[in-house]
Amino acid sequence: MTSLPLVFDAPARARKPPRHLADLSPAERRAAAAELGQPAYRATQLATHYFGRLTDDPAAMTDLPAASREALVAGLLPDLLSVVRHAEADGGATRKTLWRGFDGALVESVLMRYPDRVTMCVSSQAGCGMACPFCATGQGGLTRNLSTAEIVEQVVAGARHLRAEGGRVSNVVFMGMGEPLANYSRVVAAVRRLTDPVPDGLGLSQRSVVVSTVGLVPAIHKLAAEGLQVTLAVSLHAPDDELRDTLVPINTRYKVAEVVDAARAYARTTGRRVSIEYALIRDVNDQPFRARLLGELLRTRLGTSRAHVNLIPLNPTPGSEWDASPRPAQDEFVSILRASGVSTTVRDTRGRDIAGACGQLAAKE
Ligand code: SAH
C-alpha cells in the first residue's frame, strides 16, 4: 500500500489568538456586539472604555448593565498577553516588558521616556524570519505573526502604566521583534487602531508612528498607497549589495537600489521624509568609503530633502564577534555624510543594561 508523500499533508494549523475589540473596525465591532446579543451601540461604549479609559475591567464599566458587561468583556476583551516580567534601566526612564501570548509565544515591548515625548517600541511578530546576523531576534527565527490586538495591547499597557504618573504615550515605533511589513495587514490595522480618534482608536498622531522595515519593496509600495502619514524607516546598514547581502539577507531578493527607489516613492506619495537606519559595526560597514557611497546613494537616488540617516551604534549581541564602531570612526562617518548634504543623527541607545536596546530583544526563556 502506498501512502501520500508528506508534502501533501496539510500543515498543522497554528491556533490564532482570541478575537479582541482591537482586531475589529468600528463596523465589525458593532456586528460582534449584536452577535453577542447586545445592542450595537454597546460596542462603542466598550471601545470608549478600552481606548479612552484604558480599562478592560468589567467592574469599572458602570455605564453598562452588569449582565452585558460580562458578555461583552468575555466576547471582545479577552486577555491576550500576560506579563512575564518587567525590567527598568536608565534610572527608570526605560522599561522593558516580556510578554507571553495565549500559546506561550514570547514578545517584548520597551517604553522610553524622553524629556519631550514617550516612545513605545513594539513587536509585530514573535521572533523574526529575516535572519539579520547582527540582530538577536533574527537568530531565533519566526514563531508567528502577532494579531492586530496583540500589537495594540502593548501600547495600551504602556499607556496604562504612564497614566498613573500623569503621562501618555506620544510615539510608537515598530522596532521591536519582527518584520512589520511581513505581517502587513495586521500591522496596518494596528496603525489605524493606534491613530483613529477615541473611541475608534487610541488617538495618537500618525506622524508620531514609525514603521521600520528591512526593505520589502512591494509592501513599501502598498504602504505608500494606504493614505497614512506614518514615517517609514528603512534598515539599510550597507550602501552596497555585496555587503548588504550578508547583513540583511533579504537583500538577495530586493537590492539596495530597488529598496531606495521604493523609499523615494514612499516619500513622494506621502510627503514624509524617510528614515534610513544604519547600525555602525566596527570594521564591517563603518569605513569612510562606505560613508561616501551612502551619501552618494541617498543624494542621487532618494534626494537629500527626503532622507534622514539614523546611525545606531551596534548593540553587540551575545556570542557575536561584532562590536560597535569606535567613536572616532563614528564621528568621521557622521561628518562625511553631513558633508554630502544628508541630515544625520546618532541614535541614543536606551536600555543597554537590560538587553532592551535595538536588536537585543530576544527572550532568554
Ligand atoms: N525588522 C524591522 C524592525 C525591527 S529592528 C527592521 O529591520 O527594520 C529595528 C532596528 O534595529 C532595525 O534597523 C534593525 O536593523 C536594528 N538592529 C537590530 N539589531 C541591532 C543591533 N544589534 N544593534 C543595533 N541595531 C540593531
Side-chain angles (χ1 to χ4, degrees):
M1 210 186 110
T2 56
S3 60
L4 285 172
L6 257 177
V7 43
F8 291 122
D9 286 356
R13 267 215 167 260
R15 278 174 60 226
K16 285 210 264 174
R19 177 191 70 176
H20 185 284
L21 179 88
D23 290 316
L24 308 176
S25 68
E28 291 166 337
R29 284 171 213 164
R30 284 191 290 278
E35 272 169 41
L36 294 168
Q38 301 292 323
Y41 64 83
R42 294 266 184 250
T44 311
Q45 288 177 294
L46 199 66
T48 305
H49 283 294
Y50 183 70
F51 290 116
R53 303 194 184 98
L54 310 174
T55 188
D56 51 13
D57 173 11
M61 303 178 181
T62 50
D63 58 333
L64 295 172
S68 310
R69 287 182 217 171
E70 298 301 331
L72 286 166
V73 170
L76 282 166
L77 292 176
D79 286 333
L80 295 174
L81 298 173
S82 54
V83 174
V84 177
R85 81 175 89 87
H86 301 289
E88 296 206 338
D90 308 316
T94 304
R95 183 177 198 251
K96 179 173 84 163
T97 304
L98 174 64
W99 302 98
R100 191 190 312 280
F102 78 106
D103 57 350
L106 295 168
V107 294
E108 295 184 323
S109 60
V110 187
L111 184 154
M112 293 165 285
R113 295 180 183 84
Y114 298 90
D116 58 334
R117 65 188 193 281
V118 180
T119 301
M120 277 297 307
C121 176
V122 297
S123 296
S124 55
Q125 299 180 310
C128 186
M130 296 297 126
C132 303
F134 57 90
C135 171
T137 309
Q139 307 320 297
L142 177 67
T143 302
R144 67 166 169 87
N145 285 327
L146 297 189
S147 67
T148 298
E150 285 176 317
I151 298 169
V152 171
E153 178 63 19
Q154 296 168 56
V155 180
V156 169
R160 267 184 205 129
H161 177 72
L162 288 165
R163 194 182 38 185
E165 61 196 58
R168 49 181 288 273
V169 174
S170 54
N171 297 64
V172 172
V173 297
F174 284 81
M175 294 188 181
M177 293 174 151
E179 166 52 39
L181 297 189
N183 185 16
Y184 186 88
S185 58
R186 295 171 197 90
V187 163
V188 168
V191 170
R192 297 199 191 281
R193 296 299 109 74
L194 296 175
T195 60
D196 281 349
V198 176
D200 291 347
L202 266 184
L204 302 181
S205 147
Q206 288 182 1
R207 291 167 176 253
S208 56
V209 174
V210 180
V211 174
S212 181
T213 178
V214 288
L216 303 184
V217 166
I220 293 174
H221 289 298
K222 205 169 159 193
L223 186 66
E226 296 283 350
L228 294 168
Q229 280 287 298
V230 300
T231 297
L232 179 73
V234 174
S235 298
L236 203 60
H237 305 312
D240 53 304
D241 286 318
E242 194 185 353
L243 179 60
R244 196 169 190 265
D245 280 350
T246 68
L247 293 181
V248 185
I250 197 73
N251 195 71
T252 55
R253 183 111 137 255
Y254 305 113
K255 295 294 177 197
V256 167
E258 279 180 85
V259 170
V260 175
D261 286 351
R264 184 166 96 129
Y266 187 88
R268 287 183 127 171
T269 307
T270 61
R272 306 284 299 152
R273 213 158 63 144
V274 174
S275 183
I276 302 294
E277 311 293 296
Y278 198 106
L280 280 172
I281 314 174
R282 180 203 287 258
D283 298 334
V284 172
N285 66 354
D286 64 349
Q287 305 86 348
F289 85 89
R290 284 214 160 81
R292 280 188 287 275
L293 260 180
L294 178 62
E296 189 61 12
L297 172 76
L298 298 179
R299 203 173 54 72
T300 57
R301 282 203 106 89
L302 184 54
T304 51
S305 63
R306 298 195 186 97
H308 177 86
V309 175
N310 221 325
L311 297 171
I312 319 165
L314 183 82
N315 291 302
T317 55
S320 161
E321 74 272 34
W322 286 334
D323 205 350
S325 301
R327 192 57 200 260
Q330 174 183 306
D331 291 345
E332 193 181 359
F333 206 93
V334 172
S335 9
I336 293 171
L337 273 176
R338 287 192 180 146
S340 69
V342 180
S343 98
T344 305
T345 48
V346 178
R347 184 190 295 167
D348 83 328
T349 52
R350 289 293 186 100
R352 279 195 153 193
D353 43 338
I354 51 168
C358 309
Q360 292 183 317
L361 297 181
K364 288 181 204 66
E365 276 355 56

